[in-house]
Amino acid sequence: AQSVTQLDSQVPVFEEAPVELRCNYSSSVSVYLFWYVQYPNQGLQLLLKYLSGSTLVKGINGFEAEFNKSQTSFHLRKPSVHISDTAEYFCAVRSGSSASKIIFGSGTRLSIRP
Amino acid sequence: GAVVSQHPSRVICKSGTSVKIECRSLDFQATTMFWYRQFPKQSLMLMATSNEGSKATYEQGVEKDKFLINHASLTLSTLTVTSAHPEDSSFYICSARDQGGSSSYNEQFFGPGTRLTVL
């Protein structure tokens, strides 16, 4: 069964500093990988996704993630964060089968300090 | 892009009553929809997979008689929380998978969520 591990429950960083949110997945088949952001009291917004092809995926709001099959990782990065990036970030995985479902990691709370 | 709506966005009910939440795909057809539950400061947990015209598939530990799912059309799935209790208070999020397109990957879109508070 597929699963997702987000190693950090909270990540505090200073404004304009770089950030990396870690995500590791476990799956025995081909996978699709996602990062979602959830602002307080709101629904989910898709940041980016990896389906196939280039391992470096660029998303919205200046975020990018790199798919690393050998390390089964899909870490999210941003070179310079803003106060507005304060939110909960969820990594998610879905297997490549047609009947697959999206499974979410436990989430990482990114807090930006001025 | 494709839009998934949920109604209501917020609902407060008394303990023991039933609450129905609607999930609609507005500009695409979805033979498969998913229902998630999110408790405060926690992740989204998949409750069930809803298939149009057939019975829903529930995840382990989810009571199918308490959380009734009906997927009567290609654009509508409903979740009914029966005999709700305070511990059912949560954020319920639906998701719909777009069955259109020619690729093997079908995009999945999320609704804005419904916050249920049971007094």
Side-chain angles (χ1 to χ4, degrees):
Chain A
Q2 59 204 33
S3 65
V4 179
T5 301
Q6 291 184 245
L7 300 169
D8 306 298
S9 59
Q10 295 187 61
V11 173
V13 295
F14 287 104
E15 193 173 16
E16 297 184 6
V19 69
E20 178 180 83
L21 305 184
R22 297 181 291 170
C23 173
N24 287 88
Y25 68 92
S26 173
S27 176
S28 59
V29 297
S30 62
V31 294
Y32 304 127
L33 292 159
F34 310 84
W35 274 99
Y36 289 88
V37 60
Q38 186 178 36
Y39 298 101
N41 298 312
Q42 294 188 27
L44 295 179
Q45 182 178 6
L46 179 66
L47 276 178
L48 48 80
K49 63 188 176 191
Y50 171 79
L51 303 182
S52 65
S54 174
T55 57
L56 183 62
V57 181
K58 293 189 181 297
I60 62 172
N61 301 343
F63 285 94
E64 65 180 32
E66 185 157 17
F67 171 62
N68 189 318
K69 188 174 182 178
S70 63
Q71 297 185 9
T72 60
S73 68
F74 190 56
H75 300 334
L76 180 71
R77 301 185 185 98
K78 185 170 182 177
S80 177
V81 296
H82 301 285
I83 292 287
S84 58
D85 293 322
T86 297
E88 189 84 19
Y89 291 79
F90 294 99
C91 182
V93 65
R94 175 182 152 189
S95 77
S97 67
S98 59
S100 62
K101 47 201 175 186
I102 293 180
I103 302 300
F104 288 85
S106 54
T108 297
R109 180 167 299 278
L110 177 63
S111 57
I112 311 299
R113 300 170 175 175
Chain B
V3 176
V4 175
S5 70
Q6 283 185 240
H7 178 79
S9 58
R10 291 178 177 271
V11 57
I12 301 172
C13 69
K14 293 182 178 180
S15 185
T17 61
S18 294
V19 174
K20 179 184 285 188
I21 302 170
E22 293 185 349
C23 176
R24 294 182 184 273
S25 57
L26 297 186
D27 48 5
F28 64 96
Q29 294 185 334
T31 57
T32 305
M33 290 185 174
F34 305 87
W35 287 96
Y36 293 81
R37 179 170 54 184
Q38 183 181 32
F39 290 110
K41 299 187 184 302
Q42 294 188 27
S43 186
L44 284 77
M45 299 302 295
L46 181 65
M47 299 174 66
T49 302
S50 168
N51 299 293
E52 187 267 337
S54 64
K55 291 183 179 180
T57 303
Y58 291 81
E59 296 298 304
Q60 190 173 9
V62 178
E63 300 175 61
K64 62 180 181 180
D65 294 330
K66 180 169 184 62
F67 299 99
L68 301 179
I69 292 173
N70 184 12
H71 193 159
S73 78
L74 290 174
T75 59
L76 173 65
S77 175
T78 61
L79 169 69
T80 301
V81 183
T82 63
S83 186
H85 291 283
E87 57 265 30
D88 298 321
S89 298
S90 187
F91 194 48
Y92 292 86
I93 301 174
C94 78
S95 179
R97 184 167 295 172
D98 187 353
Q99 300 305 131
S102 58
S103 69
S104 59
Y105 173 77
N106 300 107
E107 191 68 71
Q108 188 168 326
F109 301 94
F110 286 82
T114 295
R115 188 163 301 283
L116 170 64
T117 302
V118 184
L119 302 176

